[in-house]
């Protein structure tokens, strides 16, 4: 029997401060379905942090040329996540980026964003970092991008859950 996997979302952004905005979103559902999109910066989204670019490896030029318009990404997220709860391991930054995305196009999210900590047990938190390192090694997922990070978070959740329950299924 397998451990139930939560729906997970992750963002990459133009920087780390107040003026930053989302540039990529990745989602993996509990059933394994995935969504990922580069986000073309809105015309008034101009902040750019070279240190953030070093982390995610996306240039503003790539986003301008290959990113999807903000309204399209919001619409696709609403379709993909309709009525679901999706969890973030970085809620404190992901929530403002999600809000900025949806506010920019005047649309409400049709899903719920929650902090991953809301479903983590203390015992999972105690072994999270070491398990996450093992997940990254086992899955050979080296790039720091939204979809990869969402998959790593989901797998780390599943493994920590299995470890604390002795391999038993369930939440």
């Amino acid at each position: 029997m397998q451990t139930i996997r939560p729906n997970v979302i992750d963002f990459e952004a133009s920087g780390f401060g107040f003026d930053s905005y989302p540039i990529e979103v990745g989602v993996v559902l509990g059933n394994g379905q995935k969504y990922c999109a580069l986000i073309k910066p809105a015309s008034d989204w101009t902040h750019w942090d070279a240190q953030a670019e070093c982390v995610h490896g996306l240039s503003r030029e790539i986003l301008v040329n290959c990113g999807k318009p903000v309204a399209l990404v919001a619409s696709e997220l609403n379709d993909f996540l309709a009525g679901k709860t999706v969890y973030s391991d970085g809620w404190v930054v992901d929530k403002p980026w999600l809000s900025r995305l949806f506010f920019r196009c005047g649309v409400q999210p049709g899903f719920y964003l929650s902090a991953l900590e809301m479903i983590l047990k203390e015992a999972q938190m105690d072994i999270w970092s070491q398990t996450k390192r093992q997940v990254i090694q086992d899955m050979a997922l080296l790039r720091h991008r939204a979809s990869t990070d969402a998959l790593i978070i989901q797998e780390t959740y599943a493994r920590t859950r299995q470890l604390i329950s002795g391999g038993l299924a369930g939440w």
Side-chain angles (χ1 to χ4, degrees):
M1 201 177 250
Q2 280 190 306
T3 298
I4 295 171
R5 294 170 181 266
N7 303 318
V8 176
I9 192 168
D10 190 69
F11 285 93
E12 297 302 327
S14 66
F16 307 106
F18 175 77
D19 291 334
S20 65
Y21 49 87
I23 62 167
E24 183 182 39
V25 60
V27 181
V28 61
L29 298 182
N31 66 10
Q33 286 184 291
K34 296 174 186 144
Y35 172 83
C36 185
L38 294 176
I39 303 167
K40 183 177 184 171
S43 60
D44 58 337
W45 291 0
T46 57
H47 172 77
W48 194 258
D49 185 329
Q51 287 183 320
E53 183 176 336
C54 287
V55 173
H56 52 63
L58 294 167
S59 69
R60 187 169 167 87
E61 182 181 11
I62 287 172
L63 299 170
V64 168
N65 293 330
C66 302
K68 293 181 178 184
V70 173
L72 179 58
V73 174
S75 175
E76 288 178 348
L77 281 171
N78 273 346
D79 290 344
F80 190 68
L81 294 171
K84 293 177 174 58
T85 298
V86 64
Y87 295 92
S88 164
D89 75 335
W91 187 88
V92 116
V93 289
D94 287 345
K95 176 65 173 167
W97 290 328
L98 178 76
S99 295
R100 189 163 199 168
L101 175 76
F102 278 83
F103 181 79
R104 181 64 172 85
C105 53
V107 175
Q108 289 290 321
F111 56 93
Y112 307 96
L113 178 64
S114 183
L116 186 65
E117 293 81 5
M118 297 301 289
I119 59 170
L120 283 174
K121 295 180 182 279
E122 190 170 336
Q124 284 176 276
M125 292 183 209
D126 292 343
I127 59 172
W128 187 268
S129 293
Q130 70 189 45
T131 305
K132 186 176 178 182
R133 282 191 296 274
Q134 189 63 50
V135 166
I136 292 167
Q137 183 179 342
D138 292 350
M139 298 178 84
L141 298 171
L142 301 176
R143 70 181 201 155
H144 181 82
R145 295 284 297 276
S147 58
T148 304
D149 289 355
L151 187 60
I152 290 167
I153 294 160
Q154 186 190 63
E155 181 62 21
T156 303
Y157 176 88
R159 287 192 193 183
T160 58
R161 186 67 187 187
Q162 286 177 328
L163 287 167
I164 67 162
S165 63
L168 300 175
W171 291 83

